[in-house]
Amino acid sequence: MAERRGWRFWTLALGGAALALLAAALYLWRDDVIKALLDPKVPFGKDNPPPAADYAQRGAWALIPDANAAPQGVDVFFIHPTSYPASFTSYNGQRHWNAPVNDHGAGVVLTRVMLPNYAAPFDAVGDLYAPRYRQASLYTKSTLWDDALEARQFAYGDIKAAFDAYIARFNRGRPFILVGAEQGGELGARLLAETVAPNPALRGRLVAAYLIDTVVPAEAYGAGAAVPACQRRDQAGCLVAWAAVREGDFTGAQRLLSRAMVWNAQDVLEPLGARKPLCVNPLLGAQSDALAPERLNLGAAAATGLEWGVRPAFMVRQVEAQCQDGVLRVSRPRSALLRPSGDWIERIREPGYNLFWADLEADSQARWAAWAAAHPASAPAPGRQSKSS
């Protein structure tokens, strides 16, 4: 009996130890496990794309003004960050390189997280237009395989179609602001270079462009460029762009630059390489290497879950920021609400807060005032709240 009990004891002990080691390994490599499970497992060319949206229909827009409301202020064309997949479980076994426009989980994240934190800062300046599109999945950010790059390039077709529909059906010759964040910024960079900058009529109506958390080469936006980098806050027709890392995170900065992909002249994504990224400090409103102290931070916000039109509670003087070698170095926020958390999916997508919420609101209003002062005969009335479709 003693021998039998001893054998059973050691079997259970070894089994328990093996399970503990397995659990520890899964915890340590959980990000790699999740990424492997999110891999579509089929080449991009064999993953039948979901149906395209019809941008003549209001349902194709996550944000669009009321049909019967008179336009006021400036238009804002907003390209949202990645929201697909909403979570690992939301895949339900259907893994795609590009999301269906009507994916429920992605739509929830878009409405609850992305729009209140990244589109809402521009709501006070005018009317928001935010198209739904077949966005590339979060998995495409974790690899530089050709399939992932093709999925990111595929998403641009929807943005171009949405912008064309916006100009043809809704804009009516009004001035506009172009805004994109993360994946939306990458797509916005191509839209700016390919469609807006070469067109004198569109370029003349461009109040400003914002490419948030987006790497673009600084050399493309010099003083002589069709759309130059912004050098001061009261400048219109210019570009505000930055990609940020936490202050002191040298590994993060190196990883950001080594994985950065930018559009080339053939409209294909290629490595940034040795080129310096553009960094316009959102606390200064200018392309500058000067340190912007915390006192300039007008207000960060954790706006996740707020209904559209509800202004968040601002947390002022949370961070200082400085452009160094083309990367925005941001200090650790004072509030724990403004720090990354969650699993790999939640940490790799745009966070549920915006460190520069109030700064972007003030910056867009200043540039709109500058444009209106330079075009008094063309400036519409002051802005109003936009409505979510």
Side-chain angles (χ1 to χ4, degrees):
M1 294 291 293
E3 290 182 1
R4 185 177 304 171
R5 285 197 299 272
W7 178 82
R8 289 175 177 173
F9 171 79
W10 287 110
T11 300
L12 292 173
L14 290 172
L19 288 174
L21 287 172
L22 177 61
L26 288 174
Y27 178 80
L28 289 173
W29 293 302
R30 62 192 184 282
D31 289 354
D32 292 329
V33 171
I34 292 174
K35 284 190 284 187
L37 292 172
L38 296 183
D39 185 346
K41 300 292 193 301
V42 296
F44 172 79
K46 293 186 178 180
D47 183 22
N48 294 328
D54 179 1
Y55 295 108
Q57 305 299 318
R58 296 181 63 83
W61 299 84
L63 290 173
I64 192 169
D66 286 341
N68 297 323
Q72 297 184 45
V74 62
D75 287 351
V76 180
F77 187 84
F78 177 81
I79 311 172
H80 68 75
T82 310
S83 63
Y84 177 79
S87 65
F88 171 67
T89 56
S90 73
Y91 257 129
N92 294 324
Q94 300 296 317
R95 298 187 290 271
H96 298 289
W97 288 105
N98 292 84
V101 172
N102 61 352
D103 183 85
H104 175 73
V108 170
V109 172
L110 176 61
T111 301
R112 284 182 46 81
V113 181
M114 302 307 171
L115 297 181
N117 284 293
Y118 299 99
F122 300 92
D123 189 39
V125 80
D127 294 337
L128 270 155
Y129 294 82
R132 303 181 188 276
Y133 65 100
R134 290 172 291 181
Q135 58 185 292
S137 76
L138 278 172
Y139 178 75
T140 64
K141 295 183 64 177
S142 69
T143 176
L144 298 179
W145 291 351
D146 288 345
D147 291 314
L149 298 181
E150 289 179 33
R152 289 157 68 173
Q153 291 166 177
F154 175 84
Y156 176 75
D158 283 9
I159 296 305
K160 180 63 166 63
F163 186 77
D164 289 346
Y166 155 71
I167 292 295
R169 294 176 174 273
F170 307 119
N171 177 260
R172 300 177 183 177
R174 291 160 44 79
F176 65 95
I177 295 173
L178 173 63
V179 184
E182 189 257 330
Q183 177 174 180
E186 180 177 272
L187 301 175
R190 180 174 171 183
L191 184 68
L192 182 65
E194 179 182 279
T195 302
V196 178
N199 186 318
L202 291 178
R203 189 173 69 246
R205 304 205 306 271
L206 178 69
V207 172
Y210 294 83
L211 303 179
I212 301 166
D213 287 331
T214 305
V215 174
V216 292
E219 63 186 22
Y221 303 96
V227 180
C230 295
Q231 302 301 317
R232 60 185 191 278
R233 182 150 280 154
D234 62 350
Q235 179 183 358
C238 58
L239 170 64
V240 175
W242 77 85
V245 299
R246 187 61 49 82
E247 185 179 41
D249 185 5
F250 300 104
T251 301
Q254 185 179 36
R255 181 169 58 248
L256 171 70
L257 297 179
S258 66
R259 300 183 64 83
M261 305 294 289
V262 297
W263 301 101
N264 62 20
Q266 290 72 44
D267 296 325
V268 174
L269 288 169
E270 67 178 12
L272 175 71
R275 288 170 289 180
K276 184 179 179 179
L278 174 62
C279 183
V280 175
N281 192 323
L283 298 186
L284 300 175
Q287 183 185 19
S288 170
D289 292 337
L291 173 66
E294 290 177 349
R295 62 181 173 80
L296 296 181
N297 186 197
L298 299 179
T304 294
L306 292 183
E307 292 185 7
W308 186 256
V310 175
R311 287 176 65 79
F314 292 133
M315 293 170 271
V316 301
R317 301 187 177 192
Q318 286 291 311
V319 295
E320 63 181 24
Q322 184 175 22
C323 294
Q324 296 179 359
D325 300 321
V327 177
L328 186 69
R329 316 286 177 141
V330 181
S331 64
R332 179 183 175 89
R334 295 179 180 273
S335 173
L337 296 174
L338 303 173
R339 298 170 191 166
S341 62
D343 61 19
W344 179 84
I345 287 178
E346 292 176 328
R347 284 185 284 109
I348 197 173
R349 73 183 179 209
E350 287 294 271
Y353 55 82
N354 187 337
L355 298 176
F356 309 112
W357 204 108
D359 305 277
L360 287 168
E361 181 181 62
D363 191 277
S364 61
Q365 290 174 326
R367 299 192 193 282
W368 166 228
W371 190 97
H375 305 80
S378 305
R384 63 173 174 81
Q385 293 280 316
S386 301
K387 303 298 181 182
S388 175
S389 62

